[in-house]
Amino acid sequence: MSKDKQFVTEITPQGEDFSKWYIDVIKKADLMDYSPVRGCIVFRPEGFELWENIQRELDRRFKETGHRNAYFPLFIPESFLQKEKEHVEGFNPELPWVTEAGGEKLEERLAIRPTSETIIGHMYSKWIQSYRDLPLLINQWANVVRWEKRTLPFLRTSEFLWQEGHTAHENEEEARQETMQMLNIYREFVEDFLAIPVIVGQKTPSEKFAGAVDTYSIEAMMKDGRAVQAGTSHYLGTNFAVAFDIKYLDRGNTLQFAHTTSWGVSTRLIGALIMVHGDDRGLVLPPKISPTQVVMIPIGPPKTREQVIARVDELYAELKKAGVRVKVDDRADVSPGWKFNEYEMRGVPIRMELGPRDMENGQAVLVSRITGEKRVVAQSDIVAEIEKMLEEIHRDMFERAGQFRSDHSNSVETLDEMKSLQEEKRGFTLAGWCGSAACEKQVKEETGATSRNIPFEPLEKKTTCLVCGEKAEHTVVFARAY
Amino acid sequence: MSKDKQFVTEITPQGEDFSKWYIDVIKKADLMDYSPVRGCIVFRPEGFELWENIQRELDRRFKETGHRNAYFPLFIPESFLQKEKEHVEGFNPELPWVTEAGGEKLEERLAIRPTSETIIGHMYSKWIQSYRDLPLLINQWANVVRWEKRTLPFLRTSEFLWQEGHTAHENEEEARQETMQMLNIYREFVEDFLAIPVIVGQKTPSEKFAGAVDTYSIEAMMKDGRAVQAGTSHYLGTNFAVAFDIKYLDRGNTLQFAHTTSWGVSTRLIGALIMVHGDDRGLVLPPKISPTQVVMIPIGPPKTREQVIARVDELYAELKKAGVRVKVDDRADVSPGWKFNEYEMRGVPIRMELGPRDMENGQAVLVSRITGEKRVVAQSDIVAEIEKMLEEIHRDMFERAGQFRSDHSNSVETLDEMKSLQEEKRGFTLAGWCGSAACEKQVKEETGATSRNIPFEPLEKKTTCLVCGEKAEHTVVFARAY
């Protein structure tokens, strides 16, 4: 704690260098630290608690929809990865390999899982025999590794934490329903819990998961206009069922391949929520995920201190009882002003100040992290006032992020038009696309932007491809992405 | 589900072959499956839920005592392991090594963590500067790997799940206090939540953690008389602080090495609770950890079925609301008798039967998994009756396990005496020990039993060493162990 004091004001402004701002903030708020292993970070308690809150909330939603957790091995035998051709091509370049163990060279190399479709597919083929065994709805919370060349804390690290759902169904219809259900759970969660608006849609073939028939994603805009894929859900068809022989006797007693899905979100959500909401003073945490929702700071001269703290403690107990995550900072050796800066930097949604005058008036002062608004409220009404303000802050954050996104979204007819936007904050660009990989590739080469997804609900329908001018098969969101 | 029917009665009796009984039970109750990776198992949902319940309960206790969770990298550079001599010697034979990643040979091999003292020590040296940074109280939930030659599901697997607490303190006294606090939390948890009585004590030097000054453990007795180490807590002194340079400026402005601790329990607890409580009909789950505490089975002829199920649903809602984990099995195509066997095999603590006659009398029948006792209770009192019975079952299970342990514990004066016990169910053997590694080794060679620990509260104090007859420094519990 002592070491932070000197750093509080030393955050690079976003406008000066967004990347540097990001690193400054996550280091200063003690969310992470670099590790001695290339591309791997340490999730410090302040950062890990964000993940714990994400886990708790998502896990509840998974269980409510009938999924159960399981745990599969970290190691994947090389021969397993080979079984699905697209899958191995997609992941091979990023795999770490265990070649020795227990003092001996292994007969077969073991990959550290980059994702678990293969090993889970193998197990499902043992567990699934009949339509009575379906649907099989399993989720796993785990660490995975993808040996990345360029890394960025939370957003792209060699090892990261995630959940991966893997389900098997009797037919395409049910599997597609599951794929959409989980995509929708992700959208709801990211919007309602993290206050991040997202664009829901389908990935283009070149951007889909290696081995999937169709991949769907939710895409969020960071404050530098770049995109983060915040969650994906895949309809895998029978690709993995064929590769791993996941067959069942159907209701008519015929052997059929199961249709499978997979879906995941990861610790990159932490990076996204920082880049969507943070400002030049530091973190801004959405109330629902913030480990501390209210920090109470007693103020005033030493002679009234004891009295003020006693009242603060009473209010603390009341808020705690109501389920508000509240913290008191009554340290005497640190000034209120320093504390104000500190908790602003750490992104606590509400600061409550209570001093001798407030005591006299039966009032307290609430300060919003996001707007800086000061609100004088009756102590007798504290729980209701705090709950109302937390809700307002959530809504406000969500709306601001939505406003920012629309301010940084463009719609173009041609690639030239798109390129002309390049020097400014281009953000998301909506454009028509003929469906050819060549045109998609040209956009990337000339602008650095990739297709994020084909939105289910685009703001407008485009009719011609931005590159070749032919008929547009799809309306696509392009953006530079993390 | 369908596949289980044929297996319900096919459990090898414990008395015939305990190991086979164990495997039969965990497979038939769908707790685990073997994986294609040597020594690694799959935790199926029924088994993983036991771990989730263990996690939730322990995590709460860790947080209540001021610990926070964090996450450190899976990979440990070889040079880190080398820094603490005893540590590397202890773990080297069991390490898997990543030698290639991202298509290239690595300059330095990376071990998959067998435990994280080294990488955490490295990070602590960066985070700890002053006494104000202490104590540092961090826990990690993670997967770890130790390449085992002989494996047994849950009890000894190459990859397993665990928590590892790592703390740093200003001085020996505080670090030792922490070591004992956590040992005590483990004891309380295992006794109060898993209904397993344990012997609390200190490991002998030959059995302590590689790199520790002192290791303490809780030891439980399985139904074949063998021991399972159910949790360990280590005082590491300044060993890791010296190796990783964890220094702080003390209150007198002098640089000091921190004193550190580590402590852990793992998924082997699942194996222990099965082997302590299970019987020839299958699993017996302690009420507090059991995913389902009560299974409700409607009985009687088709004509009253609808009416009975309606009442069952009402009672279900009432129990659910009271926080009881309850499940209804109202399948019409499976007989009550089959269901009775099924849920007994799965270890559900209480079965509730409700039929037309019970409807008339306003009653329900509760059947205890552990004693088979049938209790007719008033429906109007169902919550209180269930809660009382769950408590009784917990107490009963704890007492039975304690009785079994004392029935299978012996006290000897000499090694010959101990060897003469060998052919019977020897269980735990209390004996005096002079403190020499040679005598300890001889016990192991001649009986197969290792020293489990030096109990804090032995049933009696021994005065002479069972091997050499010299003065006993300690009274030790010996046992064959998993």
Side-chain angles (χ1 to χ4, degrees):
Chain A
M1 202 53 92
S2 59
K3 282 175 286 181
D4 293 318
K5 291 187 194 176
Q6 54 189 311
F7 292 122
V8 167
T9 55
E10 293 177 15
I11 295 174
T12 307
Q14 292 185 332
E16 190 181 309
D17 184 337
F18 190 78
S19 304
K20 202 156 178 313
W21 167 83
Y22 177 67
I23 300 295
D24 284 353
V25 166
I26 60 180
K27 289 275 288 179
K28 276 157 205 174
D30 296 322
L31 300 189
M32 58 70 67
D33 201 352
Y34 293 103
S35 89
V37 183
R38 206 198 68 179
C40 295
I41 62 167
V42 174
F43 294 77
R44 300 188 69 172
E46 296 287 334
F48 195 77
E49 197 166 344
L50 297 174
W51 183 239
E52 287 182 290
N53 291 351
I54 289 171
Q55 279 193 293
R56 189 181 313 112
E57 188 69 17
L58 272 177
D59 199 68
R60 184 175 63 71
R61 292 169 193 238
F62 296 159
K63 284 177 177 156
E64 279 171 6
T65 45
H67 303 84
R68 299 186 72 187
N69 290 327
Y71 187 77
F72 297 84
L74 171 71
F75 300 117
I76 300 184
E78 183 164 19
S79 54
F80 278 67
L81 285 165
Q82 306 291 353
K83 288 191 184 179
E84 217 291 333
K85 192 171 158 292
E86 280 188 19
H87 191 68
V88 67
E89 280 172 9
F91 285 103
N92 232 354
E94 297 178 348
L95 298 175
W97 292 100
V98 173
T99 59
E100 305 159 23
E104 288 171 11
K105 201 163 152 43
L106 297 179
E107 285 184 26
E108 178 179 14
R109 296 195 298 176
L110 298 173
I112 309 292
R113 65 179 161 221
T115 179
S116 302
E117 277 76 8
T118 57
I119 193 130
I120 292 179
H122 173 81
M123 299 312 299
Y124 278 16
S125 74
K126 296 173 67 179
W127 299 343
I128 296 169
Q129 314 282 327
S130 141
Y131 71 89
R132 290 183 205 86
D133 302 317
L134 298 174
L136 184 53
L137 308 172
I138 286 181
N139 176 61
Q140 167 171 272
W141 293 95
N143 54 341
V144 285
V145 179
R146 299 175 187 177
W147 209 252
E148 302 280 359
K149 292 240 185 298
R150 290 183 55 204
T151 59
L152 187 62
F154 299 123
L155 285 169
R156 191 169 296 274
T157 52
S158 290
E159 181 187 8
F160 57 96
L161 304 176
W162 80 344
Q163 59 69 217
E164 46 181 325
H166 295 269
T167 69
H169 305 263
E170 288 184 57
N171 53 48
E172 172 165 355
E173 189 192 345
E174 286 180 19
R176 284 196 178 275
Q177 222 159 33
E178 168 80 5
T179 309
M180 286 305 148
Q181 173 184 249
M182 301 323 290
L183 185 70
N184 205 40
I185 284 180
Y186 289 156
R187 180 189 61 72
E188 273 178 25
F189 166 75
V190 170
E191 295 193 346
D192 296 351
F193 198 73
L194 305 181
I196 300 176
V198 290
I199 291 176
V200 188
Q202 179 168 2
K203 287 286 189 185
T204 63
S206 71
E207 295 285 331
K208 74 180 167 64
F209 178 75
V213 171
D214 289 315
T215 286
Y216 303 88
S217 74
I218 53 173
E219 305 279 337
M221 183 188 284
M222 307 298 104
K223 272 198 178 163
D224 63 351
R226 289 172 75 171
V228 164
Q229 175 183 294
T232 51
S233 186
H234 317 291
Y235 169 59
L236 304 173
T238 56
N239 291 352
F240 286 89
V242 169
F244 290 92
D245 204 32
I246 310 173
K247 280 194 289 226
Y248 72 97
L249 269 180
D250 71 10
R251 287 159 206 266
N253 228 22
T254 308
L255 262 185
Q256 303 270 9
F257 283 113
H259 290 249
T260 68
T261 82
S262 67
W263 28 275
V265 302
S266 76
T267 36
R268 72 189 333 233
L269 283 177
I270 299 172
L273 80 91
I274 295 162
M275 284 195 178
V276 167
H277 298 301
D279 64 22
D280 285 348
R281 285 173 297 148
L283 286 182
V284 180
L285 293 176
K288 290 184 194 172
I289 196 183
S290 188
T292 302
Q293 295 174 313
V294 181
V295 60
M296 302 173 75
I297 299 176
I299 52 178
K303 64 174 176 168
T304 59
R305 189 175 153 74
E306 212 166 292
Q307 200 187 348
V308 168
I309 287 181
R311 185 70 189 124
V312 162
D313 286 346
E314 285 169 14
L315 294 173
Y316 170 87
E318 213 176 313
L319 287 165
K320 187 104 183 166
K321 200 177 150 206
V324 177
R325 294 190 294 272
V326 58
K327 175 185 163 136
V328 174
D329 188 342
D330 59 5
R331 287 176 291 172
D333 59 339
V334 182
S335 74
W338 184 87
K339 292 178 189 172
F340 295 177
N341 285 337
E342 171 78 3
Y343 294 104
E344 281 188 352
M345 184 272 285
R346 291 180 181 275
V348 176
I350 298 177
R351 172 174 87 233
M352 185 197 299
E353 302 169 12
L354 195 84
R357 201 177 313 159
D358 302 309
M359 294 285 288
E360 280 167 32
N361 304 332
Q363 294 174 334
V365 177
L366 307 184
V367 184
S368 159
R369 169 63 180 88
I370 179 147
T371 58
E373 179 205 354
K374 285 200 175 200
R375 196 176 283 185
V376 180
V377 302
Q379 290 175 21
S380 57
D381 226 17
I382 199 68
V383 170
E385 290 287 355
I386 289 281
E387 284 174 349
K388 194 176 79 180
M389 195 161 175
L390 287 172
E391 266 172 48
E392 285 172 14
I393 290 174
H394 172 85
R395 206 164 46 237
D396 200 16
M397 290 177 75
F398 182 74
E399 277 165 14
R400 281 173 181 234
Q403 188 59 51
F404 183 90
R405 188 180 72 187
S406 62
D407 290 346
H408 294 77
S409 291
N410 298 282
S411 167
V412 302
E413 302 305 320
T414 65
L415 184 55
D416 280 342
E417 206 183 325
M418 184 170 171
K419 283 158 71 180
S420 74
L421 293 166
Q422 197 164 12
E423 304 311 320
E424 313 152 38
K425 274 266 153 69
R426 194 175 55 234
F428 287 6
T429 306
L430 199 69
W433 174 54
C434 66
S436 87
C439 287
E440 195 181 357
K441 197 171 160 212
Q442 197 172 334
V443 174
K444 187 174 177 182
E445 283 170 359
E446 299 196 19
T447 70
T450 51
S451 71
R452 300 321 305 152
N453 67 24
I454 301 162
F456 292 155
E457 293 170 5
L459 285 178
E460 53 174 317
K461 278 277 191 189
K462 295 288 184 178
T463 54
T464 56
C465 176
L466 83 163
V467 181
C468 64
E470 298 290 310
K471 180 166 172 291
E473 290 293 328
H474 304 288
T475 302
V476 172
V477 169
F478 291 94
R480 296 177 79 96
Y482 281 102
Chain B
M1 204 53 92
S2 59
K3 282 174 285 178
D4 293 319
K5 291 184 193 177
Q6 54 190 312
F7 292 124
V8 169
T9 55
E10 294 174 15
I11 295 174
T12 306
Q14 291 185 332
E16 191 180 308
D17 185 338
F18 191 79
S19 304
K20 202 158 179 313
W21 166 84
Y22 177 67
I23 300 296
D24 284 354
V25 166
I26 60 180
K27 289 276 287 180
K28 276 154 205 174
D30 296 323
L31 300 189
M32 57 71 64
D33 202 350
Y34 293 104
S35 89
V37 183
R38 209 198 66 177
C40 295
I41 62 167
V42 174
F43 293 77
R44 298 188 70 172
E46 297 286 334
F48 195 76
E49 196 166 345
L50 296 175
W51 183 238
E52 287 182 291
N53 291 351
I54 288 172
Q55 279 192 293
R56 189 181 312 113
E57 188 68 16
L58 272 177
D59 200 68
R60 183 175 63 70
R61 291 170 193 238
F62 296 160
K63 284 176 177 157
E64 279 171 6
T65 45
H67 304 84
R68 300 187 71 187
N69 290 327
Y71 188 76
F72 297 84
L74 171 70
F75 300 117
I76 301 184
E78 184 165 18
S79 54
F80 278 66
L81 285 165
Q82 306 291 352
K83 289 191 184 179
E84 215 291 333
K85 192 171 158 293
E86 280 189 19
H87 191 68
V88 67
E89 280 172 10
F91 284 104
N92 232 354
E94 298 178 347
L95 299 175
W97 292 100
V98 172
T99 58
E100 305 159 23
E104 287 171 13
K105 203 162 152 41
L106 297 179
E107 284 184 27
E108 179 178 13
R109 295 196 300 176
L110 298 173
I112 309 292
R113 65 179 159 221
T115 180
S116 303
E117 278 76 8
T118 56
I119 193 130
I120 292 179
H122 173 81
M123 298 312 299
Y124 279 15
S125 75
K126 295 173 68 180
W127 299 342
I128 295 169
Q129 313 283 328
S130 140
Y131 69 91
R132 291 183 206 87
D133 302 317
L134 298 174
L136 185 53
L137 307 173
I138 286 182
N139 177 61
Q140 167 171 272
W141 293 95
N143 54 342
V144 286
V145 179
R146 298 174 187 178
W147 209 252
E148 301 280 357
K149 293 241 184 295
R150 289 183 55 202
T151 59
L152 187 62
F154 298 123
L155 285 168
R156 191 169 297 275
T157 51
S158 290
E159 182 187 9
F160 56 96
L161 304 176
W162 80 345
Q163 59 69 216
E164 47 181 323
H166 295 269
T167 69
H169 306 263
E170 287 183 59
N171 53 48
E172 173 165 354
E173 189 192 345
E174 286 180 20
R176 284 195 178 274
Q177 222 158 34
E178 167 80 4
T179 309
M180 287 305 147
Q181 173 184 253
M182 302 323 289
L183 185 69
N184 205 40
I185 284 180
Y186 289 157
R187 181 190 60 72
E188 272 178 25
F189 166 75
V190 170
E191 295 193 346
D192 295 351
F193 198 72
L194 306 181
I196 300 177
V198 289
I199 291 176
V200 189
Q202 179 170 2
K203 288 286 190 185
T204 62
S206 70
E207 295 285 330
K208 74 181 168 63
F209 178 75
V213 171
D214 288 315
T215 287
Y216 303 87
S217 74
I218 53 174
E219 304 279 337
M221 184 189 285
M222 307 298 103
K223 272 198 179 162
D224 61 352
R226 290 172 75 172
V228 163
Q229 174 183 295
T232 51
S233 187
H234 318 290
Y235 168 59
L236 304 173
T238 56
N239 291 351
F240 286 89
V242 169
F244 290 92
D245 205 34
I246 311 173
K247 280 194 289 224
Y248 72 97
L249 269 180
D250 71 9
R251 288 159 206 266
N253 228 22
T254 308
L255 261 186
Q256 302 271 7
F257 283 112
H259 290 249
T260 68
T261 83
S262 66
W263 28 275
V265 301
S266 76
T267 37
R268 72 188 335 232
L269 282 177
I270 299 172
L273 79 91
I274 295 161
M275 284 194 178
V276 167
H277 298 302
D279 64 22
D280 285 349
R281 286 174 294 149
L283 286 182
V284 181
L285 294 176
K288 291 185 193 171
I289 195 182
S290 188
T292 303
Q293 296 174 312
V294 180
V295 60
M296 302 172 75
I297 300 176
I299 53 178
K303 66 176 175 165
T304 58
R305 191 177 151 75
E306 211 166 295
Q307 199 186 350
V308 168
I309 286 180
R311 185 69 188 124
V312 163
D313 287 346
E314 285 168 16
L315 294 174
Y316 170 87
E318 214 176 310
L319 286 165
K320 187 104 183 166
K321 198 176 152 207
V324 177
R325 295 190 294 272
V326 58
K327 174 183 164 137
V328 174
D329 188 342
D330 58 5
R331 286 176 292 171
D333 58 340
V334 182
S335 74
W338 184 89
K339 291 179 189 171
F340 295 176
N341 286 336
E342 172 78 3
Y343 295 103
E344 281 187 351
M345 184 272 285
R346 293 181 181 273
V348 177
I350 298 177
R351 172 174 87 234
M352 185 197 298
E353 302 168 14
L354 196 84
R357 201 176 315 158
D358 302 310
M359 294 285 289
E360 280 167 31
N361 303 333
Q363 295 174 333
V365 178
L366 307 184
V367 185
S368 158
R369 169 63 179 91
I370 179 149
T371 59
E373 180 206 353
K374 285 200 174 197
R375 196 177 283 185
V376 180
V377 303
Q379 290 174 21
S380 56
D381 227 16
I382 200 68
V383 170
E385 291 286 354
I386 290 280
E387 283 174 349
K388 193 175 78 177
M389 195 163 177
L390 288 172
E391 265 171 46
E392 286 172 14
I393 290 174
H394 171 85
R395 206 163 48 235
D396 201 15
M397 289 177 76
F398 183 73
E399 276 165 15
R400 280 172 180 234
Q403 188 60 51
F404 182 90
R405 189 180 71 187
S406 62
D407 290 347
H408 295 77
S409 290
N410 299 283
S411 167
V412 302
E413 302 305 320
T414 66
L415 184 54
D416 281 341
E417 206 183 325
M418 184 170 171
K419 282 158 73 178
S420 74
L421 293 166
Q422 198 164 11
E423 305 311 320
E424 313 151 40
K425 275 266 150 69
R426 193 176 56 235
F428 286 6
T429 305
L430 199 69
W433 173 56
C434 66
S436 89
C439 288
E440 195 181 356
K441 196 173 161 209
Q442 197 171 334
V443 174
K444 186 174 177 182
E445 283 169 0
E446 299 196 19
T447 70
T450 50
S451 71
R452 300 321 304 153
N453 67 23
I454 301 162
F456 292 155
E457 294 171 3
L459 285 178
E460 53 174 319
K461 277 276 191 192
K462 296 288 185 177
T463 54
T464 57
C465 175
L466 82 165
V467 181
C468 65
E470 299 289 310
K471 180 168 173 289
E473 291 293 329
H474 304 287
T475 301
V476 172
V477 170
F478 291 95
R480 296 177 78 96
Y482 282 102

